[in-house]
Amino acid sequence: MPNVWTIFKRELSGYFSTPIAYVFLVIFVVLSGVFTFYVGSYFERDQADLRSFFQFHPWLYLFLIPALAMRLWAEERRSGTLELLLTLPITMTQAVLGKFLAAWAFSAIALLLTLPLWLTTNYLGNPDNGVIMASYAGSLLMAGAFLAIGACMSALTRNQVIAFVITAAVCLGFVLSGYPLVLEFVGAFAPEFVVEAVGSFSFLSHFTEVSKGVIDVRDLVFFVSLMAYWLFANAGVIELKKAE
Amino acid sequence: MVEIEHLCKNFGSLKAVDEVSFGVDRGEVLGFLGPNGAGKSTTMRMITGFLAPDAGRVRVCGDDIATNPLQVKRRIGYLPEGAPLYGDMTPRAFLRFIAEIRGYRGKERELAVDSVVEKVNLQPALEKPIDTLSKGFKRRVGLAQAIIHDPEVLVLDEPTDGLDPNQKHEVRTLIKGMAKEKAIILSTHILEEVDAVCTRAVIISAGRIVSDSTPAELLARSRFHNAVSISIRANTVDGMAEAFRALPAVDSVEVLEAKDGCVRLQLFPAGDAAIAAAVSELARERNWALEELHLERGRLDDVFRDITSGESAQSRG
């Protein structure tokens, strides 16, 4: 556990020692503002809630989270530090967890920076703060799932751009899998239970459930097990492709 | 301290490492030599636990790396090829990170960092991002992270590669200074280095060990071992070569150069005979003005080429 903490610290401070951190945070806050007020019609809706803020998170994450995850392993591979890291007395699990948690903590920081929006809403009206809290939790969980996918994809390549593109593509699949477009396409050739299975992998539907204020165990299990799965795959990919 | 038995590693159809076995004890500096692509780095990566061997065993102080990797990794200090480092960190932050992973906390950690910084003379670069440092400083940071926990076994993959002569000298002095209480394995393709720091030289070619001996034994295998090169002030070389060849201990004579009133000859001894005394005596008898007499210890690059070129040509095609 101390090793996870050491790796976590190094990784997180790594974000802040380059402009990536600040660019990311600024873009995240600005874009979520734009989505909330312009696209989501925060004022016009005349409702004291943050639905117009949260409903765009899956789309925001779709291209911002891959940017956060792409350097996790690809950079280690490119610079050769992977060899340094994996010959230190740490286990693969510690390395994978430390890095993932650092990226996740960073996305939590980004979310924290949107708190003024919550305060504003409380100033303007009487929102259901329970719902908002649940939405924040759901958003963070979803970010974690995106990040776990990104970490695994980043382990596949030494090229950060490739890692970004593949991650975005895979994440898009997970976001869209609840959409009629995808479901009808799958339904055209696959039996009903496959369609349901594909639909149940949708980030969108799970996130929408959570952001209604109901934290269902199933949604929790969904996101947590998805993270566990992708991190497990992440460790496997590193183990397999170390020599390259 | 380090025992390597029948190590094999294949990459696809390429046998990168093929039945490599050797042992290193405390106080030994083992020079691991071979042409590029011979399998030096792959072997070192298996010793340090980065790659898993396809067959064979690595044990460090009795612990098998396959069954007890953390214990082995704790005992090893490793400088990977090219000394990769986290470029956006400063050397201080980086060394703190390594020290923490190595189990140093709080005050102990600062002490470990300070003492290693002093050992490798890193003070002037301590607070600048590693990316901005010169090659020499970067290599020192790499060495520092390898020795910060005072490991019993040190594995260095081309520690002096790409450094200028002064920096090379510094690194070698550092390695020699630590040699007594550690088992050190270092790979290189610079042969003078073997002579300068190693107590033993293992030559590997196309994945197989082709020679395991001391640097002196390697030198003795050279055609030039105990050969004498001389310069004589004379306008003509007539008769000289014949006269030297007539000496019983001299096997053959080569005329290297004859111009500007100066003749240079290379004399090869028969067997292991020492011929310098006989040669200078003959020159005095004949009243040849001897300008220079130089006894060769042998040429490692010759031996190296002899040992590795035949082998690699056979199996690599």
Side-chain angles (χ1 to χ4, degrees):
Chain A
M1 210 51 205
N3 285 340
V4 174
W5 173 239
T6 306
I7 294 170
F8 172 87
K9 276 191 297 181
R10 197 208 76 73
E11 203 66 38
L12 191 58
S13 70
Y15 280 114
F16 288 97
S17 66
T18 59
I20 299 175
Y22 306 100
V23 170
F24 183 93
L25 292 175
V26 167
I27 301 258
F28 181 81
V29 171
V30 167
L31 278 184
S32 52
V34 167
F35 278 132
T36 308
F37 292 108
Y38 291 93
V39 188
S41 317
Y42 175 77
F43 289 120
E44 288 82 345
R45 289 179 63 242
D46 207 19
Q47 301 267 338
D49 64 23
L50 281 178
R51 267 195 57 200
S52 55
F53 166 64
F54 284 113
Q55 66 179 338
F56 295 105
H57 276 200
W59 306 104
L60 204 52
Y61 286 163
L62 192 57
F63 63 96
L64 283 182
I65 293 284
L68 205 56
M70 65 183 186
R71 67 192 281 277
L72 277 178
W73 292 99
E75 178 64 16
E76 298 260 358
R77 208 185 269 290
R78 191 193 58 75
S79 67
T81 45
L82 187 64
E83 194 172 348
L84 189 77
L85 184 69
L86 296 184
T87 50
L88 290 171
I90 55 169
T91 63
M92 183 67 85
T93 315
Q94 290 169 345
V96 168
L97 271 184
K99 276 174 166 288
F100 167 74
L101 290 177
W104 204 13
F106 186 82
S107 68
I109 294 172
L111 267 181
L112 275 178
L113 291 180
T114 64
L115 283 184
L117 218 51
W118 190 359
L119 298 179
T120 310
T121 310
N122 269 293
Y123 174 75
L124 292 174
N126 289 310
D128 185 339
N129 283 322
V131 170
I132 293 178
M133 233 137 57
S135 302
Y136 266 112
S139 178
L140 190 60
L141 277 173
M142 185 170 59
F146 273 104
L147 272 173
I149 294 173
C152 182
M153 296 306 149
S154 166
L156 280 170
T157 171
R158 62 172 57 210
N159 187 320
Q160 297 193 16
V161 177
I162 294 177
F164 177 90
V165 173
I166 300 180
T167 308
V170 174
C171 290
L172 182 66
F174 272 99
V175 170
L176 286 184
S177 69
Y179 263 54
L181 176 77
V182 176
L183 292 180
E184 276 165 26
F185 172 74
V186 177
F189 57 84
E192 187 62 24
F193 74 92
V194 175
V195 178
E196 272 176 27
V198 170
S200 71
F201 271 112
S202 169
F203 282 12
L204 221 46
S205 48
H206 284 280
F207 177 61
T208 313
E209 285 306 308
V210 177
S211 56
K212 280 179 190 157
V214 196
I215 300 187
D216 191 330
V217 179
R218 276 174 304 179
D219 298 315
L220 267 180
V221 169
F222 170 75
F223 282 119
V224 171
S225 57
L226 206 67
M227 279 185 249
Y229 169 78
W230 283 102
L231 290 179
F232 185 73
N234 180 0
V237 166
I238 302 272
E239 195 68 57
L240 274 176
K241 286 176 64 92
K242 272 197 292 202
E244 285 162 38
Chain B
M1 296 237 281
V2 182
E3 291 152 81
I4 291 150
E5 291 162 22
H6 309 291
L7 218 51
C8 296
K9 183 81 187 172
N10 299 332
F11 293 125
S13 62
L14 178 75
K15 280 190 168 176
V17 174
D18 188 8
E19 288 281 320
V20 165
S21 307
F22 59 83
V24 191
D25 283 326
R26 189 188 297 271
E28 259 189 314
V29 182
L30 184 129
F32 207 42
L33 294 163
N36 288 330
K40 299 188 298 276
S41 292
T42 307
T43 306
M44 296 184 127
R45 284 171 175 174
M46 288 192 280
I47 298 174
T48 52
F50 181 60
L51 294 180
D54 291 336
R57 212 147 78 131
V58 176
R59 279 183 302 168
V60 175
C61 304
D63 286 313
D64 194 317
I65 189 135
T67 56
N68 212 348
L70 291 188
Q71 197 58 34
V72 170
K73 286 174 180 177
R74 273 187 204 111
R75 292 211 169 102
I76 295 184
Y78 178 39
L79 176 71
E81 188 175 9
L85 303 163
Y86 292 112
D88 50 10
M89 299 176 97
T90 64
R92 189 192 288 283
F94 175 68
L95 291 174
R96 273 182 184 158
F97 165 67
I98 299 284
E100 227 174 282
I101 291 263
R102 294 287 186 187
Y104 297 94
R105 290 288 182 287
K107 213 171 170 191
E108 254 181 47
R109 184 188 71 174
E110 297 310 306
L111 263 158
V113 171
D114 288 346
S115 86
V116 82
V117 160
E118 197 169 323
K119 225 183 247 176
V120 300
N121 288 324
L122 207 55
Q123 292 91 344
L126 214 46
E127 309 295 348
K128 298 170 191 159
I130 292 174
D131 269 342
T132 66
L133 298 182
S134 71
K135 217 167 183 176
F137 273 124
K138 279 184 191 162
R139 193 60 50 91
R140 280 187 230 178
V141 178
L143 275 167
Q145 64 80 20
I147 62 175
I148 195 164
H149 55 306
D150 194 21
E152 294 166 85
V153 176
L154 203 52
V155 180
L156 308 170
D157 200 348
E158 303 195 346
T160 60
D161 187 47
L163 298 183
D164 72 32
N166 294 338
Q167 295 164 341
K168 276 184 189 163
H169 180 75
E170 273 174 37
V171 170
R172 281 177 203 158
T173 315
L174 191 69
I175 294 172
K176 271 201 258 184
M178 297 184 295
K180 259 198 204 101
E181 66 266 33
K182 296 187 198 309
I184 302 180
I185 303 175
L186 69 91
S187 79
T188 177
H189 45 237
I190 308 165
L191 294 152
E192 37 170 321
E193 199 150 287
V194 178
D195 207 20
V197 294
C198 298
T199 59
R200 211 170 119 206
V202 168
I203 300 182
I204 178 172
S205 174
R208 274 195 305 263
I209 291 186
V210 288
S211 157
D212 182 349
S213 57
T214 66
E217 282 163 354
L218 271 186
L219 282 170
R221 285 165 74 165
S222 164
R223 196 165 74 95
F224 293 94
H225 181 60
N226 279 348
V228 168
S229 58
I230 54 174
S231 308
I232 292 172
R233 187 164 295 282
N235 288 320
T236 168
V237 69
D238 291 343
M240 277 185 196
E242 288 74 20
F244 283 119
R245 198 174 293 124
L247 287 171
V250 173
D251 181 56
S252 63
V253 177
E254 252 173 50
V255 180
L256 298 177
E257 204 178 33
K259 64 173 188 187
D260 305 330
C262 191
V263 174
R264 289 184 55 224
L265 302 172
Q266 180 96 51
L267 316 174
F268 295 97
D272 269 347
I275 57 171
V279 167
S280 69
E281 190 150 326
L282 180 71
R284 211 176 313 120
E285 269 173 30
R286 301 283 176 105
N287 270 333
W288 289 331
L290 204 53
E291 292 253 297
E292 187 198 334
L293 185 148
H294 174 69
L295 177 67
E296 297 233 14
R297 298 180 53 218
R299 294 184 187 173
L300 275 176
D301 48 352
D302 260 11
V303 180
F304 180 77
R305 221 175 306 130
D306 273 358
I307 293 177
T308 56
S309 59
E311 284 280 336
S312 55
Q314 266 169 24
S315 56
R316 286 276 157 96

